[in-house]
Amino acid sequence: MVALVIALALFFDFTNGFHDTANAMATPIATGAIKPKTAVTLAAILNLVGAFLSTEVAKTVSGGIIREGSDGVQITPDIIFAGLMGAILWNMITWLKGLPSSSSHALFGGLIGAAIAGIGFNSINLEGLMQKVILPAIFAPLIAGIVAYVCTRLAYALTSRHDPETGSKLTQKRGGFRTGQIFTSSLVALAHGTNDAQKTMGIITLVLIAAGTQTPGSGPQFWVIAACAFAIAIGTYAGGWRIIRTMGSGLTEVKPAQGFAAETSTASAILASSHLGFALSTTQVASGSVIGSGMGRRGTTVRWSMVGKIALGWLFTLPAAGIVGALTALLVKTGVVGVLIAAVAGTAAVLLMFFYSRKSAVGHHNAIEVEEAGQAVRFAKKKAMARARAEAKAKAKAKAKANPEAAPETPAKAESPADAEADAITTKDVQR
């Protein structure tokens, strides 16, 4: 049973990886800062590295939410097995729908439901649950969204360019943010490894404590850290393209400055929570940052209907995973036959959702349709501007040859007719 639970925990870690790839890489993929395949490879490597950097969150999971054996409460591998089933099934459902739900809260919900059904309410450490899970879940996305909003406004204000004489708006040069996104998204991926991989470490540690092979209150062993690090890295490399599409273009149209601000806010919040031992939802933080950055850029709109769907997913994550965990716990209490039925039913459900997803497959080739269209428009606009400049220069030379005396002397820094004509071209003209 212990071996079965450890294998199931590592599979949950794998689903956590591909479910949360979007947290780090959706915005740089959407803006064209990193190619899709390169992005998921980089995220996988940094998740692997990040998993070795801290174990505070693992200790919270293994001893801060479910009581390990104090007050007469004894968690068993059967209960942990039931909790993992609830978490995995909810992860698969939200992945299929493309909703950036919280893998962390699915895990906690599954464990809490299974523990209540299998042992009783006294198995739950309510104080630890409130301090380490509930309160961070409420405030973290709000704080990240506000910080991303402020950072986005600052980014656009500090890089705004106007003509000193006329005050007219000049072409904005914000390409540096696209390069900066490579570093900020990498920091988010590293932070994700420090936070989310530890949750599975905590689960396996809890199993070992429950089985009597590890003393209560101790941290994860090295082989547990290594196994969880590789599991989440492989899952990240698989890429959760459905959720990447939602995070990259479903919430708002993301520009490089926005992406830079959102990723900086996300990484800061996650790294701080990892240090403090808060089992934070990286998905909620990343979603809050993307929404905040969208509100911070003028002329863009936040797709509130999608925000509403995501918020509903957040609201139902804990209870939905808890119900599945509780039902599974009641089933496994019947004995070996119950465990086998739960394992077979869970496996069948996962395979069914996977094969159903193949009917409308989303991959690196079609997860960023919006950005590809935007790049095509930008390319066409640059081409049209270059053609306009060339035609204007040719006309100016022809006019100068025809009437050399009438040709005015143009200062070196003055705007040429070609530049004026090119600046008048808009994206709408190119699209027409």
Side-chain angles (χ1 to χ4, degrees):
M1 191 64 195
V2 171
L4 177 63
V5 174
I6 290 173
L8 196 63
L10 292 175
F11 180 71
F12 167 78
D13 205 21
F14 173 81
T15 66
N16 192 352
F18 74 71
H19 200 282
D20 290 2
T21 306
N23 297 341
M25 294 302 169
T27 50
I29 289 173
T31 60
I34 312 178
K35 292 181 179 179
K37 279 292 186 182
T38 305
V40 296
T41 303
L42 180 62
I45 294 171
L46 290 170
N47 266 275
L48 178 66
V49 174
F52 287 93
L53 298 182
S54 174
T55 58
E56 291 302 316
V57 176
K59 293 174 183 176
T60 295
V61 175
S62 64
I65 298 172
I66 307 296
R67 301 186 192 278
E68 297 172 343
S70 60
D71 302 328
V73 173
Q74 180 62 55
I75 193 77
T76 63
D78 294 357
I79 299 300
I80 299 171
F81 169 83
L84 284 169
M85 290 297 293
I88 289 171
L89 289 177
W90 183 253
N91 261 5
M92 293 298 295
I93 291 170
T94 50
W95 163 76
L96 187 63
K97 296 293 183 182
L99 292 177
S101 174
S102 169
S103 299
S104 309
H105 291 167
L107 177 61
F108 300 143
L111 283 175
I112 291 167
I116 291 173
I119 302 172
F121 283 97
N122 61 328
S123 62
I124 307 301
N125 183 351
L126 294 177
E127 184 180 353
L129 177 66
M130 182 62 67
Q131 292 180 355
K132 298 289 187 176
V133 178
I134 303 297
L135 291 179
I138 295 171
F139 290 107
L142 291 176
I143 294 171
I146 292 169
V147 173
Y149 172 84
V150 173
C151 289
T152 302
R153 295 300 295 266
L154 282 173
Y156 277 92
L158 294 174
T159 56
S160 179
R161 297 173 68 244
H162 293 82
D163 189 299
E165 295 181 0
T166 64
S168 60
K169 197 173 182 179
L170 300 175
T171 303
Q172 307 301 302
K173 295 183 177 179
R174 297 191 175 102
F177 285 113
R178 185 174 279 108
T179 304
Q181 277 191 277
I182 299 173
F183 298 99
T184 53
S185 61
S186 297
L187 189 60
V188 174
L190 185 71
H192 181 262
T194 66
N195 197 283
D196 278 47
Q198 292 186 58
K199 292 158 189 172
T200 308
M201 296 178 202
I203 289 299
I204 296 177
T205 301
L206 190 60
V207 173
L208 296 174
I209 291 171
T213 60
Q214 189 169 328
T215 57
S218 57
Q221 301 175 37
F222 178 78
W223 71 265
V224 175
I225 297 173
C228 293
F230 278 100
I232 199 169
I234 295 169
T236 302
Y237 182 74
W241 299 107
R242 292 172 181 273
I243 302 174
I244 286 175
R245 170 182 282 181
T246 301
M247 292 283 285
S249 59
L251 291 172
T252 183
E253 183 186 0
V254 181
K255 297 296 182 183
Q258 282 176 263
F260 182 86
E263 291 147 18
T264 303
S265 306
T266 301
S268 301
I270 297 170
L271 286 172
S273 70
S274 297
H275 177 70
L276 296 172
F278 292 154
L280 202 64
S281 167
T282 55
T283 303
Q284 289 185 353
V285 174
S287 300
S289 296
V290 172
I291 293 168
S293 68
M295 295 173 66
R297 182 171 75 88
R298 292 178 182 176
T300 191
T301 55
V302 176
R303 297 178 179 91
W304 292 108
S305 60
M306 179 56 73
V307 174
K309 291 179 182 178
I310 293 172
L312 279 176
W314 292 354
L315 184 64
F316 284 108
T317 295
L318 275 169
I323 289 170
V324 176
L327 293 174
T328 308
L330 293 174
L331 187 60
V332 300
K333 282 178 72 175
T334 61
V336 177
V337 175
V339 173
L340 290 174
I341 292 173
V344 171
T347 303
V350 169
L351 291 175
L352 183 65
M353 284 185 273
F354 173 76
F355 287 119
Y356 181 79
S357 72
R358 306 316 297 166
K359 292 182 179 180
S360 56
V362 179
H364 65 90
H365 58 287
N366 63 351
I368 49 169
E369 294 167 349
V370 173
E371 175 55 27
E372 288 173 353
Q375 287 179 341
V377 169
R378 286 194 293 271
F379 176 76
K381 185 176 178 181
K382 287 181 180 179
K383 194 173 180 180
M385 290 173 68
R387 186 168 62 249
R389 285 194 178 95
E391 290 175 358
K393 286 178 181 178
K395 287 179 184 178
K397 285 182 181 179
K399 191 183 289 186
K401 278 187 180 182
N403 192 3
E405 295 180 358
E409 293 184 5
T410 304
K413 293 184 180 180
E415 186 179 44
S416 68
D419 293 331
E421 185 175 348
D423 288 339
I425 296 174
T426 65
T427 303
K428 194 173 288 186
D429 296 327
V430 176
Q431 288 174 336
R432 282 201 297 269

